[in-house]
Every structure is written in C-alpha cells, then in structure tokens.
Amino acid sequence: MLIFVLIFATAGITTFALAFGDEKAVKVGVNQRTEFNKLYDTYDQLNKNYYKDIDKEKLINGAINGMLDSLDDPYSDYMTKAEASKFHESISSSFQGIGAEIQEKDGTIVVVSPIKGSPAEKVGIKPNDKILAVDGKNIRGMSANEAVLLIRGKKGTKVTLTIQRAGSHDTTQMTITRDEIPLNTVYADMLKDGIAKIQITSFSENTYNELLTALNDMDSKGMKSLIIDLRQNPGGLLDQAIKISNLFIPEGKKILQVEDKNGKREVVTAEDGKKIKVPVAVIIDKGSASASEILAAAVSESAGIPLVGEKSFGKGTVQTASDFKDGSNMKFTTAKWLTPNANWIHQKGIEPNYKVNMPKYAELPLINPDSKYKVSSLSNEVKAAEEMLKVLKYNPGKVDGYFDEDTKRAVINFQKDAKLKANGILQGNTTIQLMNKIREKIIKNDTQVNKAIELLKK
C-alpha cells in the first residue's frame, strides 16, 4: 500500500494525502527512541539555563523544521498552525492574495507561475522571477510557507515585492493590489476551423469535472481537434492528473510509475471509459510542473500526442502530508514518479517534440507603475519601455535606456491612442496600459499555439 500526495511545484500550496486502496493517510506519531536523547538534553538545558525565558512551542517547531530543512529538499517542509491554515486554504473555491505559485530554491523564493487572470499575472510576473523582499523585508532564507504568509492578505490591500528577473542582476519593485483569487482551473475557447483550445491552469478538486464541461461545450460548437494548454500550470492533485490522462490514453497503457526508496514500482494504467477521439496537441513551458508534467509525459509516451513549446519545469517527486494534533503540518518526499517509459524528469524537465519559443518581447522585464520616468531619466526600465513602444510601432528612437525627446514623443502618441493624459511621462496608468498592450500582442501572436494549430491541420 502506497500513500502519497503529488503537490504543486511549490511549498505552501494546496495538497492532499491520497491513498491507493482502502487505507487512510495516517497521523504523525512520535515514539521515544535513544537517538533522541541528545535532542531532549538540548531542550532541557536550554529550558533550564538559557539567560531569559524561552518560547517552548517555538523551540519545538524550530527543531522539527530543522530536521526537515536538513533534507535539502524544497518539497519537504514543516508548517506551524498558521502556515498550515494557509496551506489548506486553496482547497476552497477561492483565496485572497496576489495569485502566484512559489517555491524556495537555494535559499531564494522563486515564482513557478502566476495564476491565470490574477493580480500577479496582470502586472507581468513570470515563471522563474525571484522575490527578494516583501514590503521591504528581505525574505532570503525563508521557506515558501513563511513567504506565503507575508505575501497573502485581504482583498484590496497592497503588497510591494522586490523582483529580480531570471538572468538579470537588476531588480524592480512591484506594488500589487491583492484580490480574490478564484480557483477556476479550466478555460476553453473555440478557435478557427473547429480547433478548440482548453487551458488547464492547475489540478484542483474539480478540474476533471471542469474539463468534461468544457469538452462538452466545445463538442457542441463543432470541435474537430483540440489543443490542451498546460503552460504555467504548477501542478496539483494526482488523482485529477490520472483522470484527465485517462481521457487520452488507451485502456491498459501506462499513465505513470511510482518508485519507492527500495526500487519497488507501482504502475498506474489507463482504464476503460470516456476517451477523446479528435486529434490533440499539448503545449508546455518552463512553468509546467508536477501534475501537468505527469499529464504531458503520459499522453506523449502512451498516446503519441505531440508536445509543443519549451522544456518543462522538472518536478518528479511524490510527497505525503500529515497533520499534528495541534493543527500544524508536515509534508515530506516519499517516492519519485516516472513516466510510462520509466524516465525520471526531476530537475531535467520534459523536452517538447516541437521546440517553439515565444517572441522575445514576451520576456521583457517588468516596469514599476509607481516609478516616474521622463526626459533625462536613465534606467533599464526605460529601456524595457522603449522596447515595448518599438514592438507596438511607436518609434521611440534609439533603444538605449535613455529617456530622450524621441521617447517622449512615442509615449505621448501611445497615451493619445490609449485615451490617457498625453504628458509624455511614463508612470501609473500609462505604464500599466503599455504592459497590457504587450500582453495582448503576446496572446495575439502566440507562436506556440500557432505551431499546435499547424500540426493539427496536417
């Protein structure tokens, strides 16, 4: 009997303990053993001789946290009662925050992906962005759970993140207004020529049912072929990934394998039931992780469905989650999962059959709307704005990071078209609208979707 949970490629996000069979996930129990004598002695000496009163609960929490930290595994973690409450929050229909999945990596908090339609996505936060500070507080060395407690908050309140884009030494501050983050996970659109595109943004309790509803809707609109978009999908619940994989994989074919520390493998195979009959292509990127990688690998290796896009994140381990009686929680890695062909993609990712990069302007850095740029300003954010203006056909002159008269004219022309105050200053709504226009252009010129369409038309 194997009891396990597959979590997001983040710490501190929704997770469930799952069991194959009739057994239930167990609670954590502690048996006294001689190897703990050193720990007990340390506790007793501190409690008796430390120069001031100690917080006993904090001391115990620190000891447990230290054990898990010593594993050097970003997916094994201890959560206090407050952290565990946040941990379980996302199993509800919504939560309040900025909407970004994060993980701790080498002492730094890194974005796995923003949630579709969230405040984080709207301001331009991207996978692999590093969060260095929250409201000016340095968070290096924090666990993802600790960072989540700082970043989340009530709808309408603001939080300022110091962001460093992957591959850049520059940082920028982004002030984000928290909002209600609905956990709708499936979004469907009918494209031209009967090609449906369904985006799965994560795997939560209702994702399979949401997908069935979307498929029925697309069928009613004349679906002839299908694109499954797993980009920036950080993962989620294992049972949902298995159910969805089953829609595409012939009965008896492998979906995944789970291997414990002794090398014993459990194979999960596709069952009979509803199957998708139309041609399918799947899109992945560097934000596709965990359960989304299970789906991508399964349909690729067991159903021959082509993968389009970029190499995926690479999260190939399995976790168990257990609760303590006081409401705190511990999760730790118990096994690794393998693809149908027994490939372990951990820290490697899945290579698509058709590698397609997004346009270069899709990787442009963030511009802080709170910053004010005008003639004579010089910065990398000005350079990013100039590149955006150039892509949108507002000739900013030389793209060099220096805000000159050509840049001012380009900003004024953009402001006029956007029906904003035409003062030639880059700030506030002008910055937000500029980034929104780039986002719209990225969606309109989605090279990865276009490649998937090309394959489905053959």
Side-chain angles (χ1 to χ4, degrees):
M1 169 57 59
L2 178 65
I3 301 173
F4 68 91
V5 55
L6 185 77
I7 65 167
F8 291 112
T10 75
I13 310 299
T14 306
T15 185
F16 275 80
L18 303 179
F20 285 94
D22 297 326
E23 296 182 26
K24 295 182 179 180
V26 297
K27 298 288 184 180
V28 172
V30 179
N31 296 319
Q32 185 171 351
R33 296 174 179 172
T34 57
E35 60 263 35
F36 284 97
N37 288 343
K38 185 176 179 180
L39 183 64
Y40 298 150
D41 288 344
T42 302
Y43 176 84
D44 289 341
Q45 289 197 47
L46 289 174
N47 191 36
K48 182 179 180 180
N49 299 318
Y50 192 64
Y51 81 103
K52 61 180 180 180
D53 290 339
I54 60 173
D55 184 331
K56 295 179 182 179
E57 182 179 359
K58 187 175 182 180
L59 204 64
I60 295 298
N61 288 341
I64 300 170
N65 199 46
M67 277 191 249
L68 289 159
D69 283 349
S70 71
L71 298 172
D72 292 325
D73 177 5
Y75 307 111
S76 295
D77 204 5
Y78 170 72
M79 287 162 280
T80 64
K81 183 177 179 180
E83 291 169 342
S85 176
K86 292 291 184 182
F87 176 81
H88 291 299
E89 193 178 62
S90 295
I91 63 175
S92 63
S93 61
S94 66
F95 65 92
Q96 294 182 357
I98 68 167
E101 316 292 355
I102 62 173
Q103 75 159 1
E104 181 274 328
K105 186 176 182 181
D106 299 327
T108 301
I109 299 300
V110 180
V111 174
V112 176
S113 67
I115 295 173
K116 183 178 176 68
S118 67
E121 185 193 50
K122 289 176 181 177
V123 301
I125 287 178
K126 296 181 179 296
N128 294 322
D129 282 350
K130 296 178 180 179
I131 303 176
L132 305 182
V134 178
D135 288 331
K137 182 176 182 178
N138 189 326
I139 62 171
R140 183 165 181 80
M142 282 190 182
S143 69
N145 296 314
E146 292 170 321
V148 164
L149 289 176
L150 292 176
I151 295 169
R152 282 194 183 177
K154 291 183 179 180
K155 177 181 177 180
T157 61
K158 294 184 178 182
V159 61
T160 299
L161 306 183
T162 302
I163 301 290
Q164 184 179 50
R165 183 127 293 168
S168 173
H169 296 294
D170 300 312
T171 63
T172 187
Q173 290 189 331
M174 300 300 300
T175 299
I176 306 172
T177 302
R178 300 178 178 104
D179 204 349
E180 194 80 17
I181 310 298
L183 292 184
N184 298 326
T185 61
V186 175
Y187 300 83
D189 293 295
M190 181 59 74
L191 308 180
K192 295 179 180 179
D193 302 317
I195 299 176
K197 184 174 86 72
I198 297 180
Q199 182 179 11
I200 303 174
T201 58
S202 65
F203 294 82
S204 66
E205 284 182 302
N206 297 314
T207 300
Y208 176 73
N209 290 331
E210 286 183 51
L211 179 59
L212 292 183
T213 299
L215 287 168
N216 289 334
D217 181 42
M218 294 295 99
D219 271 334
S220 70
K221 295 178 179 178
M223 178 176 68
K224 296 178 181 177
S225 55
L226 173 64
I227 297 170
I228 295 292
D229 187 351
L230 298 177
R231 291 176 295 181
Q232 299 190 26
N233 180 325
L237 301 182
L238 175 62
D239 69 323
Q240 299 293 301
I242 291 172
K243 285 182 178 180
I244 292 171
S245 297
N246 202 75
L247 294 170
F248 303 96
I249 296 174
E251 182 182 4
K253 293 274 191 176
K254 294 176 182 177
I255 293 176
L256 81 156
Q257 306 179 58
V258 179
E259 182 177 296
D260 66 17
K261 66 179 180 181
N262 298 316
K264 182 181 178 181
R265 292 184 185 177
E266 180 171 342
V267 179
V268 180
T269 57
E271 300 174 350
D272 191 18
K274 179 179 176 62
K275 303 292 179 182
I276 303 301
K277 304 295 186 181
V278 300
V280 179
V282 172
I283 308 177
I284 58 174
D285 69 1
K286 57 192 173 186
S288 305
S290 193
S292 59
E293 291 176 296
I294 284 181
L295 175 57
V299 299
S300 174
E301 294 182 2
S302 291
I305 290 174
L307 304 180
V308 177
E310 303 167 342
K311 184 171 72 172
S312 65
F313 181 84
K315 195 270 182 182
T317 55
V318 173
Q319 282 73 38
T320 291
S322 300
D323 293 328
F324 291 96
K325 290 181 180 179
D326 65 355
S328 59
N329 178 283
M330 176 178 73
K331 67 181 187 323
F332 54 96
T333 300
T334 55
K336 58 185 181 182
W337 69 264
L338 311 175
T339 71
N341 294 343
N343 296 314
W344 193 36
I345 58 90
H346 194 63
Q347 297 182 346
K348 300 175 185 176
I350 301 170
E351 292 284 356
N353 302 102
Y354 300 89
K355 185 174 181 178
V356 180
N357 293 322
M358 292 293 284
K360 288 184 178 180
Y361 55 80
E363 298 298 324
L364 286 174
L366 307 174
I367 307 172
N368 186 359
D370 293 331
S371 298
K372 183 177 182 179
Y373 298 107
K374 56 184 180 179
V375 172
S376 297
S377 295
L378 177 65
S379 75
N380 286 320
E381 289 192 329
V382 170
K383 185 176 181 180
E386 290 172 328
E387 289 175 330
M388 291 179 189
L389 289 164
K390 184 177 180 180
V391 168
L392 296 171
K393 308 299 183 184
Y394 294 96
N395 181 17
K398 187 176 181 181
V399 178
D400 56 5
Y402 179 66
F403 201 121
D404 57 16
E405 291 295 334
D406 288 334
T407 310
K408 180 179 179 179
R409 278 191 292 271
V411 171
I412 288 173
N413 290 332
F414 172 78
Q415 289 171 325
K416 288 179 179 178
D417 288 345
K419 295 180 170 48
L420 299 168
K421 182 179 179 180
N423 58 10
I425 297 173
L426 185 66
Q427 186 183 30
N429 284 336
T430 298
T431 303
I432 292 170
Q433 288 294 330
L434 182 60
M435 291 193 290
N436 284 342
K437 288 296 182 182
I438 286 293
R439 189 175 298 110
E440 290 171 7
K441 188 172 181 66
I442 292 169
I443 294 171
K444 186 176 180 180
N445 298 291
D446 193 324
T447 52
Q448 294 167 346
V449 168
N450 290 342
K451 181 62 178 181
I453 290 172
E454 176 190 322
L455 294 172
L456 292 173
K457 283 185 174 181
K458 287 184 178 180

